[in-house]
Amino acid sequence: MSTTAKLVFPDGKETDLDVIVGTENEPAIDISSLRSKTGYVTLDTGYMNTGSTKSAITYLDGEAGILRYRGYSIEDLAEHSDFVETSYLLINGKLPTKDERATFSTQLTRHSLIHEDMHQFFAGYPPTSHPMAVLSAMVTSLSAYYPDSLDRNAPVELHITRLLSKVRTIAAFSYKKSIGQPLMYPKNSLRFCANFLHMMFAVPSEDYEVSPVLEKALNQLLILHADHEQNCSTSTVRMVGSSGANLYASIAAGILALWGPLHGGANQAVIEMLEEVKLSGGNFKGFLDDVKNKKDNRRLMGFGHRVYKNYDPRAKILKKMCDEVLVHLNVQDPLLDLAKGMEEIALKDDYFISKKLYPNVDFYSGILYRAMGIPTNMFTVMFALGRLPGWIAQWKEMVEDKDTKIGRPRQIYTGEKARPYVSQEQRG
Ligand code: CMC
């Protein structure tokens, strides 16, 4: 294959651009020299077809429904790995040896507390605060407690472990605060996910035993969310980090980008949509008609994806998990039946078929979180907890890449041409 592509301009001029091919044979045209060579920039609103970086972390083939972290399939990892091991894999590029795993787990356990002074911050928020607002603010605040994170030449390993461990504690504390219960401190004898469930659901007056079914389900849910290459929040982490902002600030920015209903906020929006349909007597056919007619810009939340034009492999695993976990927990959720009914109809409908709209990761994850006792406004926090190792891995890869430049897209200006200033008197 030629290593250059030729671009021919309307005036007949030509230029050669380098062609780069990834490990999985994805070809790309390197346009970084285009403007200096020709004066042209490219326009790609929403970065629909722009590669912003080279990355060795996650491979995604949206047409074939393939997702791999560091070469390992999402199906294998969800089945055989746990969240701590997958986090290590994403961040370090390889599965840990026994010793590496033990050291990593010990570090995560050791750094699970947050500074006692930070407890006052939780107290300062009104009980109605969305936990994503609290989480993002707390993560930014961590940089104030670990000021050496501002030194770009200082080692980052400890900050990475701290962040992974403390976000779990912050997430659980923000929930306890929202329901007015005392904060439960982490318990060092528990594994990562079990410890989170303990901080969420234990109360000082009662013994709490972590259900192995819940622990396994949580591990799987977090693994499925752990990375997804250059999505909106990950690109935000890289963009903010490219200015030299510290790890905590970059991740806090990613958390905020995730919050929107078109991204990580969709899991909350799916449950709200299903609740609404249930309240209307379960008339999901009517709801789907409204979606197709774009009534009030309605969308079938949890459906569609910028990259997947096939069934999202994560949604496939989640649908199966829903069936198994709900049976184990003896939970009957009418929303699961509604979701399945809507999916069945949508997948046979021309509107969804022609636009290649399939269930994405958010369609079934909320039903699982509900069954686990996690409230709806915490769903996006759960997504953030899962996505954290991916954000960290992408931030680290960006910082370590000698070719990294500050993120700074161009634009095509469509405003007024130069005009003289008009004084207030002349304007009337
Ligand atoms: N329901 C109904 N119509 C849809 C939907 C949907 N969920 N998604 C896309 N469409 C239509 C859209 O109206 C448009 O139609 P038309 O061509 O007639 O204007 C067409 O499909 C293309 O949509 P788009 O918004 O241009 O596509 P996009 O790639 O920019 O958007 C998306 C991707 C995920 C934002 C979109 O599919 C969506 O809004 N889905 C619902 C929200 C959701 O579930 N988000 C979670 C994504 S997965 C988790 C994550 O990684 O963030």
Side-chain angles (χ1 to χ4, degrees), residues 365-376:
S365 59
I367 292 173
L368 273 164
Y369 287 135
R370 257 162 76 92
M372 295 167 80
I374 293 168
T376 313

Side-chain angles (χ1 to χ4, degrees), residues 69 74 83 86-87 90 192-193 196 216-227 321 369 381-389:
Y69 302 158
I74 192 66
F83 181 59
T86 297
S87 300
L90 283 167
F192 190 92
C193 285
F196 175 73
K216 167 103 179 135
L218 183 57
N219 268 295
Q220 288 185 311
L221 273 159
L222 298 184
I223 289 170
L224 294 179
H225 287 87
D227 195 47
M321 273 175 74
Y369 287 135
V381 169
M382 300 306 296
F383 195 149
L385 189 58
R387 183 56 54 89
L388 190 55

